[in-house]
Amino acid sequence: MDSYRKNDNPFKGSYKTLESLVDRISDVFQCPVTIEDANHRLLAYSKHSEETDQARIQTIIGRRVPEKVINSLWKNNILPKINRTDDPVRIPHIEEVGLGDRIAIAIHKNDDILGYIWALEVEKKFTDEDFSLFKLAAQAVKNQLLPIKGQQNETDEGMKDFFWQLLTGTIHSKKEVRDKFAEFHILPPTRFSVVVLQFHESITQENQQQISYLLLTTQQLKIIFHVIDEREVILLTGPYKDEISERHLTTFIEEFISHMKKRFNIESIAGGCGTIFEDYLEVERSYQEALTVLQSKKRFPEEAARLLSYQRLGIYRYLDIVLAKNRLEKYENHSLKKLKQYDLEHHTQLFQTLETYLNFDSNMNEAAKALHIHLNTLSYRLKRIAEIGEVNLRDAFQKVALFIDLKLEQLQEKERL
């Protein structure tokens, strides 16, 4: 490295490609170097000797940093430290994810991160003088990344417009869909689903950066497109590798919510996904299904809290249809009406008892715990419910009908508020 230090800046000059620049940086520091974008996708890497680490090898093979490495860097508070400063940061080895000793620097433009430089400490430690040179290398890389960032922004806007066309069903031809994907050089996965993530408050510019980071670093699903609409993040997802299943979708939603909370202190996010389809003209349908999941979670925050998939909504899919039919026919459940009237006159809790009992799928022990009453008390109340409401709680069909009508009662009560 000493031969380069005779010059003020060994990275001056123009570079035709990032590859030529990363090789220059590697020559100066005599170590393996990689350049990544802000979402840890590999942009360029230098040659390396046999003395490298598993994390670097996996990054080069997969063209992005493995998710387990990213998660480890967050858990150990390393990435937040790198992101907060313009100075290089020394990173000790993390054996469980195959990460050797290295230094890293974030490349900033104002408050935005354009990318990162990582350099392995193979034969000897970097000195303070090396750290000063590393900042000059970061400036040279920044000059290369700025034009790339501008071109990417233009492409992103066109992709968002196309995605909105799919979401709103304004494209009616499969050929037009194929042509649009080809225009953006995207090979559409054979199967897809729409995922919607709903925030409690409007999504800020800072939130957008955090969201984009998580979406582009996840390896649970392939994020084909994403758009942000006030409080919602709408995603078109496909399989990351070979297959996409409901479990892949729900795991992704759970981990996204968890990461937003742990890494960025953002809570109260709800998520839902539509059915997995093969025909891209069905994007609108999958989108509306995901919105139905979110609507059910809003209407029934306790009962539907764990529901993430349209395929798991059960009776919540039919409530609007049944409610419309009931209103048309002016239908009223006489058993529930009698129980409510009895409670009002005698200051009892038979209506609530029935609702809790059915919510726990007729599990006496769980229902008694939820109601904070003895099992014998619950048994007595159920007997009175059967007598006053003239219902047979051993008849599955009657219980299902009562359960649906109870949910409709809840729904109408919330509409009146």
Side-chain angles (χ1 to χ4, degrees):
M1 283 185 265
D2 292 337
S3 61
Y4 290 110
R5 288 173 184 159
K6 296 175 183 178
N7 302 316
D8 290 335
N9 185 352
F11 309 109
K12 277 184 179 178
S14 59
Y15 299 87
K16 291 183 178 179
T17 64
L18 270 177
E19 283 76 13
S20 59
L21 177 53
V22 80
D23 284 337
R24 176 67 167 176
I25 298 170
S26 178
D27 287 342
V28 170
F29 294 108
Q30 294 295 297
C31 68
V33 176
T34 56
I35 300 173
E36 303 163 8
D37 69 9
N39 302 301
H40 307 294
R41 292 175 296 193
L42 184 64
L43 297 177
Y45 62 95
S46 66
K47 296 177 182 178
H48 59 253
S49 64
E50 293 180 1
E51 295 185 17
T52 188
D53 61 29
Q54 194 63 32
R56 175 179 164 86
I57 293 171
Q58 290 175 346
T59 297
I60 292 170
I61 293 173
R63 305 299 298 176
R64 64 192 300 171
V65 179
E67 190 171 9
K68 66 178 182 180
V69 176
I70 297 171
N71 290 339
S72 180
L73 292 172
W74 276 101
K75 288 176 185 176
N76 289 284
N77 201 38
I78 293 171
L79 269 173
K81 185 177 179 181
I82 295 170
N83 292 342
R84 285 194 299 264
T85 179
D86 291 321
D87 296 321
V89 175
R90 175 168 273 116
I91 303 161
H93 77 281
I94 307 175
E95 188 174 346
E96 57 266 28
V97 295
L99 194 79
D101 294 332
R102 62 189 66 208
I103 64 169
I105 190 169
I107 302 163
H108 291 91
K109 181 191 175 186
N110 301 323
D111 294 330
D112 293 338
I113 293 175
L114 300 178
Y116 301 89
I117 308 175
W118 300 79
L120 270 69
E121 293 184 312
V122 178
E123 296 182 356
K124 57 183 179 180
K125 297 288 184 181
F126 288 96
T127 65
D128 291 342
E129 189 176 355
D130 295 331
F131 272 43
S132 297
L133 282 176
F134 214 69
K135 293 182 73 172
L136 296 177
Q139 183 59 50
V141 172
K142 178 179 178 179
N143 294 336
Q144 292 284 313
L145 294 183
L146 283 172
I148 297 173
K149 181 72 172 176
Q151 294 170 6
Q152 186 62 49
N153 288 341
E154 290 183 15
T155 303
D156 288 347
E157 288 304 313
M159 290 166 66
K160 286 176 183 176
D161 288 342
F162 173 40
F163 188 25
W164 273 119
Q165 288 178 305
L166 291 173
L167 290 170
T168 53
T170 54
I171 294 181
H172 305 290
S173 161
K174 292 183 180 181
K175 181 181 183 304
E176 188 177 356
V177 172
R178 289 195 301 270
D179 290 346
K180 278 288 188 180
F181 272 111
E183 180 183 331
F184 295 113
H185 308 290
I186 297 173
L187 182 64
T190 55
R191 306 180 77 210
F192 69 88
S193 174
V194 174
V195 172
V196 180
L197 300 157
Q198 194 172 74
F199 286 58
H200 182 65
E201 298 177 345
S202 295
I203 296 170
T204 65
Q205 186 66 38
E206 182 182 7
N207 295 153
Q208 290 187 33
Q209 294 173 355
Q210 296 161 344
I211 291 163
S212 295
Y213 176 84
L214 283 184
L215 297 181
L216 291 167
T217 56
T218 183
Q219 292 171 27
Q220 291 286 342
L221 293 172
K222 180 179 180 181
I223 310 301
I224 308 165
F225 298 129
H226 84 273
V227 293
I228 294 174
D229 183 26
E230 294 185 2
R231 296 191 302 115
E232 292 179 351
V233 182
I234 309 165
L235 314 173
L236 186 64
T237 67
Y240 180 70
K241 291 184 178 179
D242 302 322
E243 188 56 74
I244 182 173
S245 67
E246 185 182 306
R247 185 58 192 155
H248 289 119
L249 294 165
T250 56
T251 299
F252 164 78
I253 293 171
E254 290 167 348
E255 292 196 358
F256 178 92
I257 294 171
S258 174
H259 287 328
M260 288 300 294
K261 180 180 180 180
K262 292 179 180 177
R263 297 180 184 179
F264 309 119
N265 296 316
I266 297 174
E267 302 188 55
S268 302
I269 302 173
C273 61
T275 300
I276 298 169
F277 290 108
E278 297 179 3
D279 184 352
Y280 278 82
L281 295 180
E282 298 283 10
V283 169
E284 181 188 15
R285 179 177 165 189
S286 189
Y287 173 45
Q288 293 300 325
E289 289 177 351
L291 292 179
T292 300
V293 175
L294 292 172
Q295 183 185 46
S296 299
K297 293 165 82 72
K298 185 177 180 180
R299 286 171 163 178
F300 305 98
E302 293 183 11
E303 301 94 321
R306 296 183 181 180
L307 294 176
L308 299 174
S309 164
Y310 184 76
Q311 291 292 323
R312 292 289 176 269
L313 277 186
I315 67 161
Y316 296 105
R317 290 176 51 215
Y318 311 111
L319 291 184
D320 284 326
I321 299 170
V322 178
L323 181 59
K325 180 177 175 60
N326 286 355
R327 284 173 172 168
L328 182 65
E329 299 175 351
K330 297 181 179 179
Y331 168 81
E332 190 173 15
N333 189 304
H334 288 164
S335 295
L336 296 181
K337 184 178 179 181
K338 289 177 182 178
L339 291 174
K340 290 174 78 174
Q341 186 63 36
Y342 186 89
D343 282 342
L344 189 63
E345 293 175 359
H346 298 85
H347 307 290
T348 52
Q349 296 178 307
L350 298 184
F351 188 91
Q352 180 195 10
T353 299
L354 175 62
E355 183 177 16
T356 305
Y357 173 70
L358 294 177
N359 278 340
F360 282 98
D361 194 23
S362 305
N363 187 310
M364 295 280 288
N365 289 320
E366 293 299 322
K369 287 179 185 178
L371 291 165
H372 305 291
I373 60 176
H374 193 274
L375 202 59
N376 291 340
T377 304
L378 175 59
S379 181
Y380 172 75
R381 287 188 187 179
L382 292 176
K383 183 179 178 181
R384 294 294 293 146
I385 288 168
E387 293 171 351
I388 296 164
E390 297 179 348
V391 293
N392 181 1
L393 293 178
R394 294 183 180 180
D395 186 320
F397 296 103
Q398 288 191 44
K399 286 199 295 185
V400 169
L402 284 169
F403 185 70
I404 292 173
D405 286 341
L406 278 165
K407 295 304 168 191
L408 292 177
E409 287 269 352
Q410 283 182 259
L411 196 56
Q412 292 177 95
E413 183 64 32
K414 289 183 180 182
E415 289 180 351
R416 288 193 285 268
L417 294 177

